[in-house]
Amino acid sequence: MVDFGFGLVPSSRINLDLFDKEKYEELAAMEPDVRVCMACGSCTAVCTAGRLVQTSLREAIEDLKNARPEKALEMLGACQLCGKCSMVCPRGINTRHLILSITKVYSAG
Amino acid sequence: MKNNILIIGGGPAGLEASAQLQRMGYNVILIEKSPRLGGHLAKWDRLFPDGVPADDVLGGLIKELNGVKYFTDTDIRAINRLEKSYNVRLTNGITVLSDAVLVASGFDLFDAVRKEEYGYGIYDRVITNADLEAWFKTGSDKRIDNPRKIGFVHCVGSRDEKSGCRSCSKVCCATAVKQAIEVKQAFPEAEVFCFYMDLRLFGRHYEDLYLKAQKEYGIRFIRGRVAEVSENIDGTLVVKAEDTVASKPLKATLDLLVLMSGMRPSASGKAVGDLLEMTVEEDGYFAVRSGIAAGQRSPLPGLFLAGAATGPKTLPETLADARAAAVEIDRYLTEIFPDARNYKQLVRERW
Ligand SMILES: Cc1cc2nc3c(=O)[nH]c(=O)nc-3n(C[C@H](O)[C@H](O)[C@H](O)COP(=O)(O)OP(=O)(O)OC[C@H]3O[C@@H](n4cnc5c(N)ncnc54)[C@H](O)[C@@H]3O)c2cc1C
Ligand code: SF4
Ligand code: SF4
Ligand code: SF4
């Protein structure tokens, strides 16, 4: 291939048209609480893994809704399932359970 | 003596104050410039936060009028303050000598055409909150044709100095959440997005409404102001915003966009204000005598204010304000007005 001296960078813009509604509904059926996150960031603030490797449940949930599931999994890759985030979530989300379900639904192809 | 009290504006504030003052034994004259009573309440279908039909609430207010004299299709032609009372000439030819006047002229909805980048009146599938209420009431609007993706734009003409309004209109976050739920009820298959900067759901039960919208209706809340809308050849709309939670620009293709037009001061209220040289604040709404302690007294003795004429209010706030105005008017007419000898001094001390 000819080298033009530059490469194409994939768009980093969020495109909601790419949102996979079916998959998200599959997750929401198992884990209805995914809908009620209000992006407060408490989970991320206290995350034990987050100090070392970027880890954020808030961002993962956001990424799923923004049609970026691979980023969501990346955000949870270092999670130790310690459960600290569930202690602070003001919406009372069972965060560990949610993290497990996200991984299950979105890693399977 | 039964004092005459003129009430300008037959919306919720004017109706409630009329009923209260009539019950206290005053001679109330209520005028409404449009052909029917009810103000904006007559245009709404169901009300936040509980979804009660607006017609039921309005019917209740009108029933309470209990014989109040009212004129529709009537505005003020001339008004001037005499020594104590107000001499008012109405557009229907009647002249009233009124001992107290209540301005309950309400608000106007922001004209969304002025926010050109959103394309209201240019693109086919851009409507306003008021259009959607009308559709809920009548079921007819060619622009609403089984939409699959629906967006709500918060803060249209509010919190926007470029369109002449710095302040928050207070009611449109709750209206957006309410309407988002209602369109989802009408089109269960649709995806619904609310584009907000802050969600201002301050009132009792409002946060419950927000939770319900997320939990039961799966409505997606995206933090970021819609910056630009364009139309595809097939009539769908492309909306651009920044998701400021994700710190990324975002685009979405939608079938229907609903603009949350905010509240602006009433133009016909302002016309009355001009006749009396009433003080308005920088936001365009009438000034009250003392912001916190006397929210229903204007700087002019005997001239009172209630409802959205002094800034955005929800319906319960409007009604409470109207009842407070009735109490203030009664106090003025019993304690200050009748004392011919000391009137000026009493006004100085107690107005
Ligand atoms: C889109 C939207 C939805 C809303 N939904 C809700 C809801 O669900 N629940 C809720 O609690 N609140 C709601 N509100 C708020 C509610 O509409 C207001 O609180 C209420 O209408 C204020 O009543 P008002 O009498 O002060 O003013 P208005 O309703 O504006 O009435 C004023 C009246 O005065 C008349 N008038 C003005 N000038 C003159 C004049 N010179 N001479 C004679 N008559 C005059 C006008 O014609 C009008 O009839 C909503 C508001 C908006 C914008
Ligand atoms: S459970 Fe995972 S995401 Fe939550 S605080 Fe622990 S490591 Fe962080
Ligand atoms: S703490 Fe709970 S509500 Fe807050 S961002 Fe995390 S999951 Fe969402
Ligand atoms: S109530 Fe909400 S939508 Fe309305 S102006 Fe205020 S912040 Fe914006």
Side-chain angles (χ1 to χ4, degrees), chain B residues 125-236:
Chain B
R125 301 194 198 164
V126 180
I127 66 171
T128 65
N129 42 6
D131 296 337
L132 189 56
E133 286 299 312
W135 181 75
F136 288 137
K137 274 177 99 97
T138 64
S140 90
D141 189 325
K142 283 202 300 289
R143 296 167 293 186
I144 305 174
D145 181 19
N146 195 22
R148 287 311 172 102
K149 290 189 179 185
I150 305 164
F152 285 83
V153 185
H154 289 229
C155 304
V156 176
S158 309
R159 306 178 70 197
D160 180 3
E161 300 203 30
K162 242 176 77 193
S163 67
C165 178
R166 185 189 311 140
S167 49
C168 163
S169 290
K170 208 172 181 182
V171 299
C172 18
C173 272
T175 301
V177 177
K178 177 201 78 128
Q179 292 189 334
I181 290 175
E182 289 168 332
V183 288
K184 187 78 182 165
Q185 287 169 341
F187 305 108
E189 290 304 310
E191 282 173 56
V192 182
F193 308 93
C194 287
F195 293 90
Y196 70 96
M197 294 194 289
D198 304 280
L199 277 178
R200 297 189 166 174
L201 295 163
F202 53 89
R204 197 173 186 188
H205 304 314
Y206 294 10
E207 191 73 17
D208 302 341
L209 197 66
Y210 170 39
L211 183 60
K212 184 163 128 183
Q214 289 185 305
K215 197 173 176 162
E216 290 172 35
Y217 294 92
I219 288 149
R220 170 81 203 278
F221 291 86
I222 298 168
R223 196 182 76 187
R225 191 179 187 117
V226 170
E228 187 178 281
V229 182
S230 53
E231 194 181 43
N232 287 326
I233 196 117
D234 63 357
T236 56

Side-chain angles (χ1 to χ4, degrees), chain B residues 48-59:
Chain B
F48 67 73
D50 301 326
V52 296
D55 283 348
D56 291 0
V57 177
L58 180 55

Side-chain angles (χ1 to χ4, degrees), chain A residues 42-44 46-50 55-58 75-76 78-86 88 95-96 99:
Chain A
S42 301
C43 48
T44 313
V46 301
C47 178
T48 47
T55 308
S56 169
L57 176 57
R58 189 222 89 215
M75 279 300 144
L76 299 173
C79 168
Q80 308 297 306
L81 293 174
C82 73
K84 203 167 168 201
C85 47
S86 73
V88 293
T95 53
R96 283 174 68 206
I99 291 165

Side-chain angles (χ1 to χ4, degrees), chain A residues 12-19 21 32-33 35-39 58-59 62-63 65-66 68 91, chain B residues 149 189-191 193 195 207 210-211 214-215 218 220 222 240 243 245-246 248-253:
Chain A
S12 73
R13 179 167 73 177
I14 295 163
N15 184 351
L16 291 182
D17 301 350
L18 303 176
F19 176 67
K21 193 178 168 198
D33 277 356
R35 299 192 199 277
V36 304
C37 168
M38 52 182 176
R58 189 222 89 215
E59 232 178 297
E62 198 76 15
D63 285 333
K65 295 175 179 170
N66 283 340
R68 294 141 63 90
R91 285 288 208 211
Chain B
K149 290 189 179 185
E189 290 304 310
E191 282 173 56
F193 308 93
F195 293 90
E207 191 73 17
Y210 170 39
L211 183 60
Q214 289 185 305
K215 197 173 176 162
R220 170 81 203 278
I222 298 168
K240 284 187 190 160
D243 181 334
V245 172
K248 289 266 178 324
L250 171 151
K251 75 155 224 191
T253 310

